Amino acid sequence: PVSSLLNIDIVDVNDKEVRLAIFDMLGRRCLDRDVYLDGNTLALDVSMLEKGMYFCDMTIDERRVLRKKFVKE
């Protein structure tokens, strides 16, 4: 479970701009932003989200490279 920071480990995505989106279990988009990755770990502030289960999708050039499910406390 996550309370404020969601840490995402990513391999082979250095020096790229990615689209990051968080969806709730009903498929509603809760967060959507472009992020530039300059390393293999991204720390994302999710403190503004309500308690519940979410999906985090990361896409590069319209292709999903990561889907992570997490629980916000």
Side-chain angles (χ1 to χ4, degrees):
V2 176
S3 59
S4 59
L5 281 180
L6 174 65
N7 292 306
I8 304 170
D9 293 323
I10 306 146
V11 179
D12 297 330
V13 186
N14 275 347
D15 300 324
K16 298 206 178 188
E17 187 172 318
V18 299
R19 167 70 78 180
L20 186 70
I22 293 181
F23 300 91
D24 65 14
M25 293 303 290
L26 297 176
R28 294 179 297 208
R29 190 179 302 254
C30 302
L31 180 94
D32 192 8
R33 69 171 61 147
D34 291 321
V35 198
Y36 183 78
L37 294 178
D38 188 21
N40 290 330
T41 302
L42 173 67
L44 181 65
D45 180 10
V46 294
S47 60
M48 77 301 254
L49 297 175
E50 299 287 326
K51 292 180 180 182
M53 190 169 299
Y54 294 88
F55 288 100
C56 177
D57 283 355
M58 189 172 290
T59 57
I60 298 174
D61 299 327
E62 306 286 328
R63 183 178 60 91
R64 186 168 59 202
V65 295
L66 175 85
R67 171 165 267 192
K68 181 178 180 101
K69 183 165 76 171
F70 69 96
V71 175
K72 168 66 169 61
E73 294 187 324

